[in-house]
Amino acid sequence: QVQLVESGGGVVQPGRSLRLSCAVSGFTFSSYAVHWVRQAPGKGLEWVAIISSDGSKKYYADSVNGRFIISRDDSKNTLYLQMNSLATEDTAVYYCARGSGSGTQEYWGQGTLVTVSS
Amino acid sequence: DIQMTQSPSTLSASVGDRVTITCRASQSISSWLAWYQQKPGKAPNLLIYKASILGTGVPSRFSGSGSGTEFTLTISSLQPDDFATYYCQQYHIYPYTFGQGTNLEIK
């Protein structure tokens, strides 16, 4: 079955960097776009980024553009999110999600918590 | 960016009730709208995509309608498992954007 498992979350100081990973299984990773979506504690969902199936197209939310980098390694069936210049407002649970043919987020991981605090 | 506005923010209802949640986009998104259900501590679950197409395994009591800038999610007869938070999302133009959510609670 389709599985996505995020890792790499933790506590980090403002201004520092962190890299999240999302290991996938149960489908042909290289055939799908994949997304990152986050949710601050007690708040709503915020779409963060998408990378196309071939890795050639990447789009970001305004709030992270220029600081976060989405990438993928199809040989490892893994999606990444490199987060630089972290700020307290980046504190959230970060979910990876497989895209569907129509563009929605069809399958989701369980999330990994990132806390930005001094 | 396209702004998505849901109403109401909170909805109190009883088992068996018919409920409707509205989502408005700040500009036309054609039918590129999805609805997600989220329960506390869990990842969201895709309910509806392209405004009115049910996701895999989603019960038929859920339905979606609308196009352009105004959309609705209807639950025809609330079941205990339906009390959750619901989000709309436009996926017409990047960056994709979510509504602020509607918390459906038990009356």
Side-chain angles (χ1 to χ4, degrees):
Chain A
Q1 71 277 25
V2 173
Q3 282 197 309
L4 301 97
V5 180
E6 302 92 339
S7 61
V11 181
V12 61
Q13 293 180 327
R16 304 298 290 265
S17 298
L18 198 65
R19 189 177 82 159
L20 304 182
S21 300
C22 171
V24 312
S25 61
F27 64 98
T28 304
F29 182 54
S30 59
S31 296
Y32 291 88
V34 273
H35 305 249
W36 287 100
V37 176
R38 68 183 181 182
Q39 186 168 37
K43 302 297 185 182
L45 300 171
E46 180 184 17
W47 180 86
V48 172
I50 183 175
I51 184 167
S52 61
S53 57
D54 65 0
S56 64
K57 298 184 182 64
K58 305 172 185 180
Y59 298 93
Y60 299 90
D62 294 346
S63 59
V64 307
N65 198 22
R67 298 188 300 124
F68 289 12
I69 300 170
I70 189 171
S71 63
R72 63 191 297 158
D73 186 337
D74 290 351
S75 69
K76 295 182 179 179
N77 283 349
T78 302
L79 171 71
Y80 301 100
L81 186 68
Q82 177 67 41
M83 304 186 294
N84 301 321
S85 302
L86 283 161
T88 54
E89 53 266 33
D90 295 316
T91 294
V93 173
Y94 284 74
Y95 297 99
C96 60
R98 193 193 85 172
S100 69
S102 66
T104 55
Q105 293 90 74
E106 189 174 15
Y107 294 94
W108 298 65
Q110 84 290 347
T112 187
L113 176 62
V114 173
T115 303
V116 184
S117 173
S118 54
Chain B
D1 298 359
I2 297 176
Q3 306 301 314
M4 305 300 292
T5 304
Q6 288 181 234
S7 60
S9 295
T10 303
L11 180 57
S12 297
S14 303
V15 172
D17 285 353
R18 178 184 179 91
V19 298
T20 298
I21 299 169
T22 298
C23 178
R24 289 186 173 86
S26 60
Q27 65 186 76
S28 177
I29 58 170
S30 185
S31 296
W32 303 111
L33 184 102
W35 290 97
Y36 297 86
Q37 177 194 67
Q38 187 181 32
K39 297 181 180 178
K42 300 294 187 182
N45 179 47
L46 176 64
L47 292 177
I48 287 172
Y49 63 97
K50 212 170 180 188
S52 61
I53 302 174
L54 252 56
T56 304
V58 175
S60 58
R61 62 181 180 272
F62 291 91
S63 64
S65 65
S67 66
T69 61
E70 188 148 339
F71 303 86
T72 59
L73 171 70
T74 299
I75 310 173
S76 61
S77 178
L78 273 174
Q79 299 303 300
D81 191 50
D82 299 338
F83 292 96
T85 301
Y86 293 83
Y87 295 92
C88 62
Q89 182 199 35
Q90 69 82 17
Y91 56 102
H92 178 50
I93 292 176
Y94 294 114
Y96 292 172
T97 43
F98 287 94
Q100 81 279 14
T102 295
N103 180 29
L104 177 55
E105 59 182 30
I106 300 174
K107 185 184 286 185

